[in-house]
Amino acid sequence: SVDVSGGDGAACFVDQEGEDYYIVSYVYNAYYQLYDFTANAWRVIVEDLDNTEGDFINQADLDSNLDILYTNGSSGTNYKLYRYSGLTAIPPFGTATQTVLTSPSLDSSPTAIKVSPYTTTSSTLLVGTETGKLLKVTDADTTPIWTEISSNNFLGSISDIEFGADENEILVTFHNYGVNSVWYSSDGGQIWVSKEGDLPDMPVKCILQNPLVQDEVLLG
């Protein structure tokens, strides 16, 4: 094994299409770097060590199909996402193209970001917020269209969002006490069903569908 980077355990990603690169990050939106396997070299996506936008361990996700990185860029009540495109085009020590994505629907801090792996010609995102709102963002790579797909029964802060076998299957978790922590939709967020079952009253931080037995999940 090789120690490739260090820091406070922030988001990292491996390119899922071709495995041409991986991305590491430091806290906030201060530092994102890409290692290009072909060039055997690092590429700087963003380097601003004084940046305190987003969260200390910041929310982010990679669209491997289009080579675009999405991150939480919120600060105070200025709620927004950043889109970093041109990840594979930038020369070593260059800078990716940063675009701000925002909407009146995004009226609290993002707490979870998930890129759909199933829409390959454009970016579709799901964004969860600290007030329990779930937003679907289509055409996020060009001109984003924001749609709320929350349940009226969502309470508290969304901790994780995952897709199941297709884009219609969505799993959402909450890390709060006294609420239903696990939710499931089979129709793209039109109808939500609680999957709390006999779980103890505890925060749930993350969820992952068992790829071999699709009616099972792993919870963190």
Side-chain angles (χ1 to χ4, degrees):
S1 63
V2 178
D3 184 358
V4 297
S5 182
D8 282 288
C12 57
F13 304 99
V14 175
D15 171 31
Q16 298 297 301
E17 295 296 324
E19 298 182 358
D20 296 320
Y21 59 86
Y22 59 78
I23 292 172
V24 300
S25 70
Y26 186 50
V27 298
Y28 301 109
N29 267 289
Y31 183 85
Y32 288 89
Q33 275 205 351
L34 178 151
Y35 188 81
D36 184 328
F37 288 126
T38 302
N40 291 320
W42 287 100
R43 300 171 184 261
V44 174
I45 299 172
V46 59
E47 187 169 354
D48 179 6
L49 297 182
D50 293 325
N51 187 306
T52 57
E53 295 177 320
D55 284 339
F56 183 76
I57 300 302
N58 200 33
Q59 299 77 20
D61 203 14
L62 173 67
D63 186 334
S64 292
N65 293 305
L66 299 181
D67 300 313
I68 298 174
L69 179 69
Y70 296 91
T71 74
N72 171 22
S74 301
S75 179
T77 58
N78 182 15
Y79 308 117
K80 62 183 183 291
L81 304 180
Y82 282 134
R83 179 180 71 208
Y84 294 99
S85 54
L87 297 183
T88 58
I90 57 177
F93 310 111
T95 302
T97 301
Q98 183 194 75
T99 304
V100 175
L101 307 184
T102 189
S103 167
S105 299
L106 186 63
D107 54 9
S108 61
S109 292
T111 51
I113 302 171
K114 184 64 181 181
V115 176
S116 170
Y118 300 111
T119 299
T120 59
T121 57
S122 64
S123 287
T124 295
L125 314 181
L126 295 180
V127 181
T129 74
E130 65 182 357
T131 56
K133 183 179 283 189
L134 182 62
L135 301 170
K136 182 176 183 179
V137 188
T138 55
D139 296 326
D141 56 308
T142 53
T143 304
I145 300 171
W146 299 69
T147 306
E148 184 176 355
I149 58 170
S150 311
S151 167
N152 291 332
N153 296 311
F154 285 0
L155 292 173
S157 181
I158 293 177
S159 57
D160 194 21
I161 310 164
E162 293 292 337
F163 287 98
D166 55 40
E167 203 164 282
N168 285 321
E169 270 199 314
I170 306 172
L171 305 121
V172 176
T173 60
F174 288 79
H175 53 150
N176 303 84
Y177 291 97
V179 301
N180 287 340
S181 302
V182 184
W183 292 87
Y184 170 79
S185 177
S186 62
D187 56 9
Q190 297 183 59
I191 297 174
W192 291 95
V193 178
S194 170
K195 294 295 182 178
E196 186 77 3
D198 58 359
L199 283 176
D201 183 17
M202 64 180 186
V204 176
K205 299 292 185 180
C206 54
I207 189 168
L208 186 66
Q209 188 178 47
N210 183 342
L212 302 179
V213 184
Q214 291 188 347
D215 64 348
E216 291 182 357
V217 296
L218 304 177
L219 296 178

